[in-house]
Amino acid sequence: TSANIGMGLAMRGNSVVLIDTDTGLRNLDLLLGLENRILYDLVDVTEGRVPYRKALVAHKKYEKLLLLPTSQIRDKSAINPAQLMVLCDELRKNYDYVIIDCPAGIEQGFKTAIAAADMAIVVTMPEIAAVRDADKIIGELLRSEKNDIRLIVNRIRPSMVDQGEMMNMEEIQKHLELKCIGQIPDEQSVITAANIGEPVILNQDSYAGKAYANIVGRICGEEIPFLVVPKDGLLKRLKKAFGF
């Protein structure tokens, strides 16, 4: 989600810095196809070995999208909230958007990542366990005085929702009570895009790619209706009927 939102904002001409704070388990470099371009990382910056500009890695196609990767060999205690806040204050002066990709869980890495955030986006799935985890995350954000919180629901399967085998948006909203800015269908295109290092938002032939583009539009203040995604069975019948 972070990679796709960052890419979408850059495609609109914005300067964007993506910060991977999942120290020890970074992956944004892979999702953006930048794994072979990394020389320095977030820990190098916060410990003062290099200025942040030296650690930023520009995307090959959209140069306004810049990645600040984190370390693969250190742990999450290597960066503290105060260090990240100082860094983000500097980045705000020079870039339109700073996106902090937060590690999973509610441990130290999470607390560090949210410290500098003006807005939080909680990403969950339409499963009861994931929604309960999201509710816990929302509580932690509110306790940290992060009050601008939005919701994205990922990996939705319309046919399962229709059959009552997956939570629908009404049920999710009842549990979480957040403004939803995105509903992403579960598509093979997302996995393919991740494996080749190209965010699915670049593939506007996919519903997931269109859904991410719409999320970016909503972040930019546009009123965009949610996509109506065909149920799996209907989509298969249409493909068979039209030979694609």
Side-chain angles (χ1 to χ4, degrees), residues 6 28 33 43 49 52 54-55 59 62-63 65 68 71 85 109 111 115 120-121 137 144 153 162 217 222 226 237 241:
L28 277 181
V43 179
R49 284 187 288 277
Y52 75 79
K54 204 166 184 178
H59 190 265
Y62 293 95
E63 293 186 352
L65 177 62
L68 181 50
S71 172
M85 290 175 73
K111 292 173 182 176
I121 298 176
I137 292 292
S144 298
V153 182
D162 193 51
E222 298 171 11
F226 289 100
R237 289 196 297 272

Side-chain angles (χ1 to χ4, degrees), residues 100-113:
I100 305 166
D101 186 57
C102 186
I106 53 173
E107 307 306 326
Q108 183 57 46
F110 167 80
K111 292 173 182 176
T112 296

